[in-house]
Amino acid sequence: MAEEDEFSVPLIADLYTPPALLPIAQLKDALLYTIETYTVTIIVGETGSGKTTQIPQYLYNAGWTSNGQQIAVTQPRRIAATSVAARVAEEMQCQVGQEVGYSIRFEDVTSAKTKIKFLTDGLLLREMLVDPLLKRYSVIMVDEAHERSLSSDILLSVLKKVLKVRPDLRVVISSATLDAEKFLDFFTPDKDEVGESKPNEEYGRIVSIEGRVHPVEIQNLIEPASNYVEAAVDVVMEIHKSEAQGDILIFLTGRDEIDDAIDMIADRVAELDATKETIQLLPLYAGLPSEQQMHVFQRAAENTRKVIVSTNIAEASVTIDGIVYVIDCGYVKLRAYDPVVGIERLNVVPVSKASATQRAGRAGRTRPGKCFRLYPEGAFDTLEDATFPEIQRSNLAPVILQLMNLGIQNIIRFDYLSNPPSQFVIRAFDLLASLGAVDTYGRLTKPLGTRMAELPLEPMLAKALLNAPTFNCLSELLTIAAMTTLQGTAFISHDGNTKAADKKKRTFAVTEGDHITLYNVYEAFVRNKLQAQWCHDNLLNFKSMTKAHSVRKQLKHYLERFGVTEHPLHASDVLKAGGLELSERVRRCLTTGFFAQAARMKPDGSFQTVNGKTTLWAHPSSVFFHRKADWVIYHEILETRGKIYIRDLTTIDMDWLTEYASDYYKTKKK
DNA sequence: GAGCACTGC
């Protein structure tokens, strides 16, 4: 499925199939005919079919860009957009940025010559704010639509609307077998909208392209594993003892399980005969610093079998060649949103059939492989066909803002691929109304609501940032907003030494809390000239800090466009701000966005929500994990293993809650 | 008291 979206490693000649030999080449004419004749074409392309790289070239050669329009190909991930653009540019013998280019946040590598443009689906949605009918494109290909990400679902919905006005536009959707029909049904216009000349079956077609992968033999356990980590370790040792050479990829659900499995395998390996083939153990998860992630791509030493123990990141985002054996625990950790309490949870749930199939396929990229599923064969049939769409598991406030800003009036009756539960929509509207982004008629407010929608930030943070000039702390809020988007990745620990990292972190910590601590970290980074070495010495993630720098710059541009700029503090401003200290102004400003996420510390160090119903805990990364506090607001709340953690905390006065959100707290008391 | 599945603008 995601054969092209891998880390940008150099192409290895013997893994590269010349385009003319790909199965898709035989279908070229049929494909072009279908796309020309039908408005929507669903491509069911297996792994290795070459759909992503070849179809845009076919369309280009067939003249779909000769009238000055472009072909857009959307990807769910940045890495995919850049690496596929590089591959296609190479095949077309041009430089990336010429006929073939890509566009992702912070990086637009396109030019006036660009005809084929790869971009993230989220960015294409943003483009629609400027070009609502996407007139610059003749064809839009939405790749990996079966993953059902929030932005690709939304994109497909708005494309359906665009097609009603632009019958000349062609939409190509790449999907897995199981939901091809669903996509086609979705795009087929309702009966009353279709004229005599265009019966439903004339609107779209499904085209299947076989892949070019090796067979993977599936083996199941007879009984369900009582402990799948232990079962996985047993299977690794069994493979190592009795199967031929080849690397092993294990799918587990999280970091703790990965660490446990690695310890257990290491113990078992120590008992082995040292003269025989040995095992190299490699963890893989998103939170791992990227240098360590890169180890999984390195060839193992002589007589060494690589065993990669991974989260779901290896299912589609990271592709590793040379895997011959896959061990699939059958579970995945997924986010679920609880609209009643307003918190997100991370739950371990059974994978879908599509996921299980994709995981197994990871064993057949280089040669025939084997997949060991740690559950009985019959259990497969009980799995869901596809992973629950993200839109049914998420806080919808950002989505709703975005849809409204695209001119969608009726959010409840909007044509979703899968309807989000109405509870989710109601909760999101409540929040947006309390922030002043929508009025009592459910319309986006101007300019506040539209500006919040345009900023690439969550609504609460966007609101606080837009309020910053009032508190004369725009520069500070820009930094804080940029740093909180890093989601805790600023601090790293070399070789798992979290003690040292915590100690370093304390040198930046302040009693006001995490936001101002993060501000101090960024300020120090800038004072030290954005140096990698300085980050390394202070146990900071250089890549993350550089990202914060880009985000800050981008946010600043947005605010300048809105006519909101930083200005020095004049005497009159000081008076307007009540002559308050900077840190208090920052904390008050944050409260104007995050008032709905307030809590009070109890003597035992835990926190309680305003309504007293829920117990929360400071995340261990917070300065309040060790320190005392009274009232705080927090940026993020997440339940994991039955305990609710809050992250990025800042102290406030209780009075500020009613000062800045009197309506919100009045209605809550009722 | 002890942690974060995965993306993206």
Side-chain angles (χ1 to χ4, degrees):
Chain A
M1 293 180 191
E3 72 272 22
E4 292 92 354
D5 61 15
E6 51 209 33
F7 277 75
S8 341
V9 283
L11 287 177
I12 302 162
D14 60 358
L15 288 175
Y16 180 74
T17 310
L21 296 180
L22 286 166
I24 195 174
Q26 300 159 18
L27 283 169
K28 180 181 165 186
D29 293 336
L31 252 172
L32 285 172
Y33 172 79
T34 308
I35 295 172
E36 186 165 334
T37 314
Y38 304 100
T39 307
V40 177
T41 304
I42 319 283
I43 308 282
V44 177
E46 294 173 17
T47 304
S49 64
K51 59 187 158 58
T52 314
T53 54
Q54 303 310 303
I55 292 174
Q57 294 185 64
Y58 295 166
L59 292 166
Y60 169 75
N61 291 327
W64 280 89
T65 60
S66 50
N67 61 355
Q69 285 176 306
Q70 297 176 314
I71 295 160
V73 185
T74 74
Q75 295 292 328
R77 287 168 287 275
R78 295 162 56 91
I79 186 88
T82 55
S83 59
V84 185
R87 167 76 69 88
V88 174
E90 189 181 297
E91 288 184 12
M92 288 177 56
Q93 297 177 346
C94 70
Q95 295 282 312
V96 179
Q98 298 297 304
E99 282 80 3
V100 180
Y102 68 86
S103 193
I104 57 178
R105 187 182 185 184
F106 310 131
E107 264 181 85
D108 182 12
V109 187
T110 61
S111 64
K113 284 178 79 177
T114 303
K115 301 292 182 195
I116 301 174
K117 177 162 140 190
F118 292 90
L119 73 176
T120 46
D121 33 35
L123 199 66
L124 186 62
L125 272 173
R126 294 256 163 201
E127 279 191 4
M128 294 187 79
L129 290 174
V130 189
D131 180 10
L133 295 180
L134 295 167
K135 286 198 173 125
R136 73 179 76 165
Y137 303 111
S138 57
V139 183
I140 291 167
M141 177 166 170
V142 181
D143 207 3
E144 317 289 358
H146 57 271
E147 289 187 13
R148 303 298 307 275
S149 73
L150 209 47
S151 46
S152 85
D153 264 25
I154 296 295
L155 180 61
L156 291 175
S157 285
V158 293
L159 281 177
K160 183 176 173 181
K161 276 183 93 91
V162 170
L163 283 173
K164 288 179 185 161
V165 195
R166 275 198 59 195
D168 60 304
L169 180 68
R170 290 295 178 270
V171 173
V172 179
I173 301 163
S174 100
S175 142
T177 324
L178 290 166
D179 32 33
E181 288 286 348
K182 184 183 171 67
F183 285 123
L184 186 58
D185 285 349
F186 175 72
F187 273 96
T188 304
D190 303 333
K191 287 217 166 55
D192 54 354
E193 292 176 38
V194 184
E196 286 295 310
S197 57
K198 214 162 192 192
N200 287 0
E201 61 270 20
E202 295 297 317
Y203 201 74
R205 277 284 186 276
I206 297 171
V207 178
S208 297
I209 310 163
E210 64 180 90
R212 190 159 274 241
V213 284
H214 304 277
V216 176
E217 183 191 322
I218 309 281
Q219 293 194 17
N220 286 82
L221 292 185
I222 295 166
E223 294 288 326
S226 59
N227 177 326
Y228 58 69
V229 178
E230 283 171 13
V233 173
D234 289 342
V235 176
V236 168
M237 300 318 291
E238 197 55 42
I239 294 171
H240 191 57
K241 199 173 81 189
S242 47
E243 297 278 351
Q245 269 198 330
D247 297 337
I248 304 174
L249 171 63
I250 310 175
F251 284 101
L252 295 175
T253 71
R255 186 183 169 161
D256 270 8
E257 287 176 10
I258 290 170
D259 290 344
D260 285 352
I262 285 179
D263 288 347
M264 287 157 76
I265 299 168
D267 287 348
R268 300 274 287 271
V269 169
E271 297 164 6
L272 293 177
D273 182 348
T275 60
K276 294 235 176 81
E277 194 190 35
T278 186
I279 279 178
Q280 180 191 15
L281 286 163
L282 296 160
L284 180 64
Y285 48 87
L288 208 62
S290 50
E291 308 86 64
Q292 286 179 57
Q293 284 188 4
M294 295 309 279
H295 293 325
V296 304
F297 299 109
Q298 286 162 7
R299 207 177 279 269
E302 196 83 352
N303 281 325
T304 304
R305 191 197 290 271
K306 269 199 306 198
V307 175
I308 296 155
V309 194
S310 173
T311 60
N312 218 30
I313 193 172
E315 189 181 300
S317 306
V318 174
T319 300
I320 310 150
D321 283 311
I323 301 294
V324 180
Y325 307 100
V326 162
I327 301 171
D328 178 8
C329 75
Y331 289 88
V332 64
K333 205 179 272 187
L334 279 188
R335 182 181 52 208
Y337 181 68
D338 180 338
V340 178
V341 197
I343 66 169
E344 299 191 317
R345 297 203 172 90
L346 282 177
N347 296 327
V348 174
V349 295
V351 291
S352 64
K353 285 181 185 136
S355 270
T357 307
Q358 170 81 2
R359 287 178 176 189
R362 294 316 215 180
R365 289 183 53 81
T366 319
R367 58 185 164 98
K370 285 187 183 178
C371 173
F372 300 84
R373 290 181 176 153
L374 303 178
Y375 49 90
E377 200 176 345
F380 183 85
D381 300 321
T382 67
L383 300 175
E384 298 283 343
D385 282 352
T387 307
F388 245 64
E390 206 182 352
I391 199 166
Q392 296 181 330
R393 302 185 278 117
S394 309
N395 171 7
L396 296 180
V399 178
I400 290 176
L401 264 189
Q402 196 171 19
L403 285 174
M404 291 176 83
N405 202 28
L406 284 168
I408 293 25
Q409 312 281 347
N410 195 333
I411 299 294
I412 308 262
R413 297 227 177 134
F414 182 61
D415 201 356
Y416 300 95
L417 245 121
S418 303
N419 285 321
S422 55
Q423 274 268 35
F424 286 41
V425 180
I426 293 164
R427 172 89 190 191
F429 261 106
D430 278 352
L431 173 69
L432 292 173
S434 73
L435 289 170
V438 298
D439 62 21
T440 44
Y441 301 100
R443 293 174 309 203
L444 205 57
T445 56
K446 282 176 190 169
L448 180 61
T450 52
R451 285 176 179 177
M452 281 171 65
E454 276 195 58
L455 286 170
L457 294 174
E458 319 123 84
M460 293 187 200
L461 194 53
K463 170 76 185 283
L465 179 60
L466 288 167
N467 271 337
T470 319
F471 294 90
N472 272 305
C473 60
L474 183 55
S475 174
E476 290 74 18
L477 256 287
L478 278 168
T479 299
I480 289 168
M483 287 298 285
T484 50
T485 61
L486 300 181
Q487 295 169 306
T489 59
F491 292 93
I492 51 166
S493 50
H494 297 296
D495 310 319
N497 189 351
T498 47
K499 286 248 169 65
D502 285 350
K503 202 175 159 196
K504 276 286 182 197
K505 198 168 170 182
R506 260 175 260 146
T507 63
F508 298 102
V510 290
T511 52
E512 291 93 332
D514 299 310
H515 292 101
I516 297 180
T517 298
L518 288 170
Y519 170 79
N520 286 342
V521 169
Y522 183 86
E523 283 300 300
F525 176 58
V526 173
R527 269 201 311 279
N528 286 279
K529 303 187 170 58
L530 320 176
Q531 284 179 79
Q533 185 59 47
W534 180 84
C535 287
H536 189 263
D537 295 345
N538 286 279
L539 300 179
L540 293 167
N541 188 331
F542 175 63
K543 267 182 100 173
S544 295
M545 292 304 298
T546 310
K547 188 188 164 197
H549 190 67
S550 306
V551 173
R552 191 185 187 283
K553 215 162 41 178
Q554 191 191 31
L555 294 176
K556 197 171 169 220
H557 282 308
Y558 270 106
L559 293 183
E560 281 164 3
R561 264 211 352 244
F562 301 154
V564 177
T565 45
E566 298 186 56
H567 50 88
L569 203 60
H570 297 297
S572 57
D573 296 329
V574 176
L575 283 177
K576 258 189 264 165
L580 301 168
E581 261 185 65
L582 177 61
S583 104
E584 179 169 337
R585 298 201 306 271
V586 167
R587 290 183 297 129
R588 282 175 177 264
C589 183
L590 284 168
T591 309
T592 67
F594 290 92
F595 55 82
Q597 297 191 336
R600 186 183 200 178
M601 193 186 264
K602 294 191 290 187
D604 70 352
S606 69
F607 287 85
Q608 209 149 42
T609 49
V610 176
N611 64 17
K613 284 184 187 163
T614 317
T615 301
L616 317 169
W617 298 88
H619 190 272
S621 66
S622 170
V623 302
F624 296 118
F625 186 64
H626 292 296
R627 284 175 211 239
K628 289 278 170 231
D630 190 26
W631 284 94
V632 297
I633 46 103
Y634 54 86
H635 174 239
E636 200 179 35
I637 178 160
L638 185 83
E639 180 178 320
T640 173
R641 288 193 215 129
K643 211 166 167 184
I644 306 171
Y645 292 97
I646 48 179
R647 291 170 54 113
D648 293 341
L649 281 59
T650 280
T651 59
I652 58 156
D653 280 2
M654 186 193 67
D655 297 343
W656 299 351
L657 294 175
T658 41
E659 186 175 343
Y660 300 121
S662 56
D663 287 351
Y664 183 84
Y665 282 102
K666 237 182 279 164
T667 46
K668 292 287 145 176
K669 272 179 199 152
K670 264 194 276 184

